[in-house]
Amino acid sequence: MDNLSDTLKKLKITAVDRTEDSLEGCLDCLLQALAQNNMETSEKIQGSGILQLFASLLIPQSSCTAKVANIIAEVAKNEFMRIPCVDAGLISPLVQLLTSKDQEVLLQTGRALGNICYDSHEGRSAVDQAGGAQIVIDHLRSLCSITDPANEKLLTVFCGMLMNYSNENDSLQAQLINMGVIPTLVKLLGIHCQNAALTEMCLVAFGNLAELESSKEQFASTNIAEELVKLFKKQIEHDKREMIFEVLAPLAENDAIKLQLVEAGLVECLLEIVQQKVNSDKEDDIAELKTASDLMVLLLLGDESMQKLFEGGKGNVFQRVLSWIPSNNHQLQLAGALAIANFARNDGNCIHMVDNGIVENLMDLLDRHVEDGNVTVQHAALSALRNLAIPVVNKAKMLSAGVTEAVLKFLKSEMPPVQFKLLGTLRMLIDAQEAAEQLGKNVKLVERLVEWCEAKDHAGVMGESNRLLSALIRHSKSKDVIKTIVQSGGIKHLVTMATSEHVIMQNEALVALALIAALELGTAEKDLESAKLVQILHRLLADERSAPEIKYNSMVLICALMGSESLHKEVQDLAFLDVVSKLRSHENKSVAQQASLTEQRLTVDS
């Protein structure tokens, strides 16, 4: 270290005199000291004030320039040295050196700038102001096709520099994207796929950039899918495959890229991984199985990619995914059920799958998870059943297959995601009067629905419970169902639902309440009164923002309520005639007609 102090003193003198031989000796000494103890040497360099001198030594025509840049690269490995490097004015001369023709100077300069930028806002900002990124991208473009080892090393350093420059910084990443870095990096990956270090650097850069939404379109216009799948097929090591997965996942969120990945043969690779790893209990294999099956499900979220893999229900991929459902591996059961839910996104696919016995597979899967089951598997299987129940022709088939019985086993679940899908599945199935009546008389179900109508922490569960209550009445048109709902305390929830911010829910509530008033007014009278239904209807009719169908159904309901003495009196007390008579001139003909009828009814009964 005494030697180092002497070297630093000597360097100050020779830096001014510019005697190249002795200058080179001093620089070699510094590099040696840094190799032995980087941190301590860096502290000494900072304390000596020599950093400021380096700026004047970074000149293109000097034979020592590469060594100076190398020293800066070494000291900048220490976090505490990065801001001092910026403050010493080193960025601007370093960026100017990027125009050098000397490969060693370019290499060391790239290292220095990359290390100064690492996790340093000040470093990045200075490089940005000096215009360093564009010069580096231009180099990558011009050197892209040269495959000798020295050039590949330089390309790797430049990629690393851009990565450190933009990592976790959205605006700098956007800047690189605007400069056209993505097509250049994709080309690099294609040409240099044999070079592990450069390939790895490209993958990390892709991983960073792919998180940005604006990058997806640029990626989609390249052959990134083809290159990544080609690279993926060559990899044997888990870590390397994991790196590629980390790029594939964000890219596969884009529908165009999903299709490109499917066409490039990624699905076959994923299915192979699943087959290889399914019976392994090694941690790495379990993680890879999960990643592969999750990615498979993600690819099915795109309409075109999904339809391509469905192949009319005859496709190899569809059949393989189907075989995951009866497996004993929870991850595969989950991925299989989610995949079916994704395939079930159009009527044709749903009808084909129900006709080919998939409902039975899903019910068997649910049966295996009733007691202390896996919540994510329950949720996924219910999602698939709900989607399959959307086409009208499937409903009766699924009811006769016993889907409602299978689903009702999960009524005791305390997990909101499971509750939500359970409710959605039942609501999709009960278009038929008989099914609605059967379910509407199920006291356990109705009581649970009324309980969930108060689940204020889970808006989805609350909304679906209300909608199912209303649907049971609307589709069954049954007095027994209405009595069950009244006895379970469901009326107040239907009245509250009439004030929902969603017109569709308001409407469903008003139609259900009109049926209650028409079929079982005496039974529901007290509950309708205490829920302040008449006041709510007055408010809906007086509010100019109410949709035409809301006004129409509110008036139908008012007429139906006139059969109750106490509710009739409430209607008279609130001067409904004024509000209704104004609606006779409403622009919607149905509303205007119903207003005339309602006015007559109110006038006769007053």
Side-chain angles (χ1 to χ4, degrees):
M1 277 299 153
D2 290 341
N3 269 355
L4 178 59
S5 302
D6 293 344
T7 301
L8 289 168
K9 281 178 197 159
K10 193 174 172 190
L11 187 55
K12 280 186 184 175
I13 299 160
T14 47
V16 178
D17 296 350
R18 297 277 166 91
T19 34
E20 302 249 332
D21 289 350
S22 48
L23 185 57
E24 200 151 341
C26 292
L27 296 173
D28 285 337
C29 265
L30 277 189
L31 283 167
Q32 220 175 338
L34 283 163
Q36 284 168 1
N37 190 332
N38 190 315
M39 197 172 181
E40 202 175 323
T41 306
S42 296
E43 283 169 349
K44 289 257 188 186
I45 289 172
Q46 190 190 0
S48 72
I50 203 89
L51 274 181
Q52 283 74 4
L53 282 177
F54 283 165
S56 64
L57 296 176
L58 291 167
I59 42 175
Q61 55 274 35
S62 164
S63 60
C64 299
T65 305
K67 284 183 179 171
V68 177
N70 188 356
I71 290 168
I72 296 168
E74 289 301 317
V75 299
K77 286 178 176 175
N78 301 288
E79 191 183 343
F80 66 88
M81 288 299 287
R82 289 172 201 148
I83 292 176
C85 283
V86 175
D87 292 344
L90 299 180
I91 302 298
S92 184
L94 282 169
V95 168
Q96 284 165 27
L97 285 178
L98 288 172
T99 56
S100 168
K101 298 282 181 280
D102 183 315
Q103 201 161 26
E104 182 62 18
V105 169
L106 286 175
L107 183 78
Q108 298 305 342
T109 303
R111 285 185 61 234
L113 288 170
N115 290 352
I116 292 170
C117 285
Y118 184 78
D119 229 357
S120 164
H121 169 70
E122 292 77 7
R124 292 169 180 181
S125 192
V127 173
D128 179 21
Q129 282 163 14
Q134 184 67 66
I135 303 170
V136 171
I137 291 175
D138 291 343
H139 273 307
L140 289 177
R141 267 195 209 110
S142 62
L143 300 171
C144 185
S145 305
I146 306 165
T147 54
D148 68 83
N151 188 61
E152 288 191 322
K153 192 176 177 185
L154 181 57
L155 289 169
T156 307
V157 165
F158 279 158
C159 282
M161 182 245 148
L162 289 180
M163 203 179 65
N164 287 354
Y165 171 69
S166 65
N167 188 31
E168 291 182 355
N169 184 313
D170 286 0
S171 65
L172 292 179
Q173 285 177 355
Q175 180 198 73
L176 294 183
I177 291 166
N178 292 335
M179 289 173 176
V181 74
I182 287 173
T184 306
L185 289 173
V186 174
K187 198 173 166 191
L188 270 181
L189 183 69
I191 295 170
H192 302 275
C193 55
Q194 303 301 330
N195 185 304
L198 184 48
T199 299
E200 203 165 300
M201 211 49 96
C202 285
L203 288 172
V204 178
F206 290 147
N208 287 345
L209 296 169
E211 297 291 341
L212 225 62
E213 210 40 56
S214 59
S215 73
K216 307 281 201 311
E217 273 179 43
Q218 272 209 28
F219 274 119
S221 66
T222 68
N223 63 335
I224 181 84
E226 202 183 313
E227 293 298 355
L228 287 175
V229 173
K230 206 163 41 175
L231 189 65
F232 192 85
K233 285 175 178 170
K234 290 181 195 162
Q235 303 307 325
I236 309 154
E237 293 169 51
H238 167 77
D239 292 350
K240 293 279 162 52
R241 288 210 291 223
E242 194 175 8
M243 277 191 85
I244 302 172
F245 272 139
E246 280 170 14
V247 180
L248 288 169
L251 285 180
E253 286 167 13
N254 176 280
D255 281 1
I257 299 174
K258 283 185 180 79
L259 187 60
Q260 291 168 9
L261 289 168
V262 167
E263 287 171 343
L266 178 62
V267 172
E268 289 71 16
C269 300
L270 298 176
L271 289 171
E272 203 177 311
I273 287 176
V274 168
Q275 203 170 352
Q276 286 168 2
K277 312 290 180 185
V278 64
N279 296 316
S280 170
D281 47 13
K282 279 195 211 152
E283 211 170 300
D284 280 356
D285 290 349
I286 293 166
E288 202 165 345
L289 175 81
K290 180 180 181 344
T291 309
S293 53
D294 283 350
L295 188 51
M296 182 79 207
V297 172
L298 181 58
L299 291 175
L300 292 172
L301 276 172
D303 288 339
E304 282 186 82
S305 50
M306 176 271 287
Q307 212 52 44
K308 190 174 178 66
L309 294 170
F310 189 65
E311 290 181 70
K314 307 274 190 298
N316 169 46
V317 173
F318 173 67
Q319 297 301 330
R320 290 275 290 278
V321 165
L322 207 52
S323 72
W324 294 354
I325 291 175
S327 98
N328 291 319
N329 183 302
H330 280 186
Q331 174 56 34
L332 280 194
Q333 293 171 0
L334 170 65
L338 287 173
I340 298 303
N342 285 347
F343 280 125
R345 286 209 317 280
N346 64 50
D347 283 8
N349 292 4
C350 288
I351 292 163
H352 176 90
M353 287 193 276
V354 169
D355 288 347
N356 283 274
I358 281 179
V359 168
E360 287 71 16
N361 293 359
L362 289 167
M363 283 169 28
D364 290 346
L365 177 61
L366 277 174
D367 241 15
R368 293 161 71 184
H369 287 277
V370 176
E371 298 302 325
D372 304 320
N374 182 302
V375 174
T376 51
V377 175
Q378 293 171 0
H379 179 259
L382 289 167
S383 295
L385 286 172
R386 181 199 173 280
N387 289 3
L388 290 169
I390 292 172
V392 176
V393 294
N394 281 355
K395 296 181 196 292
K397 293 172 187 169
M398 290 176 72
L399 286 167
S400 61
V403 171
T404 47
E405 293 76 8
V407 169
L408 285 170
K409 289 176 186 171
F410 294 90
L411 258 188
K412 55 180 182 283
S413 171
E414 293 302 332
M415 305 306 290
V418 173
Q419 296 166 354
F420 180 70
K421 288 297 176 186
L422 171 152
L423 292 163
T425 308
L426 291 176
R427 190 164 63 78
M428 283 301 149
L429 284 170
I430 59 160
D431 280 9
Q433 189 167 0
E434 195 184 329
E437 189 162 2
Q438 194 186 345
L439 280 174
K441 290 191 289 193
N442 180 329
V443 178
K444 270 190 182 160
L445 169 65
V446 174
E447 284 177 348
R448 196 72 161 128
L449 290 183
V450 171
E451 183 189 327
W452 287 341
C453 281
E454 292 173 1
K456 290 189 171 54
D457 293 342
H458 302 286
V461 172
M462 193 162 83
E464 278 291 344
S465 303
N466 278 303
R467 292 189 77 184
L468 184 52
L469 266 189
S470 155
L472 291 171
I473 295 167
R474 287 182 295 111
H475 295 305
S476 72
K477 300 180 178 60
S478 153
K479 290 182 167 214
D480 289 339
V481 170
I482 293 169
K483 282 177 186 165
T484 307
I485 288 172
V486 172
Q487 282 156 10
S488 303
I491 296 297
K492 63 180 179 188
H493 297 300
L494 290 170
V495 174
T496 304
M497 183 180 167
T499 65
S500 164
E501 59 193 25
H502 304 290
V503 173
I504 191 166
M505 285 176 70
Q506 279 186 293
N507 223 18
E508 287 171 359
L510 291 169
V511 172
L513 289 164
L515 282 165
I516 291 169
L519 296 170
E520 274 298 323
L521 186 55
T523 312
E525 186 180 45
K526 279 199 174 63
D527 288 356
L528 293 171
E529 253 182 275
S530 60
K532 306 221 173 337
L533 173 62
V534 174
Q535 288 90 321
I536 284 168
L537 291 174
H538 189 278
R539 213 163 59 229
L540 289 174
L541 288 172
D543 188 345
E544 287 175 11
R545 292 166 302 176
S546 293
E549 58 268 43
I550 301 303
K551 290 187 186 294
Y552 177 88
N553 283 321
S554 295
M555 289 188 282
V556 170
L557 181 48
I558 285 292
C559 295
L561 294 176
M562 301 302 271
S564 152
E565 203 176 314
S566 56
L567 292 167
H568 184 168
K569 186 175 182 314
E570 280 190 27
V571 171
Q572 283 178 319
D573 291 348
L574 270 176
F576 266 82
L577 262 173
D578 299 348
V579 184
V580 172
S581 58
K582 281 180 193 163
L583 294 174
R584 279 188 321 180
S585 56
H586 196 278
E587 59 188 1
N588 182 294
K589 279 185 183 161
S590 301
V591 173
Q593 260 174 332
Q594 186 58 43
S596 295
L597 291 170
T598 307
E599 189 179 36
Q600 285 168 24
R601 183 73 199 268
L602 290 169
T603 313
V604 169
D605 289 344
S606 61

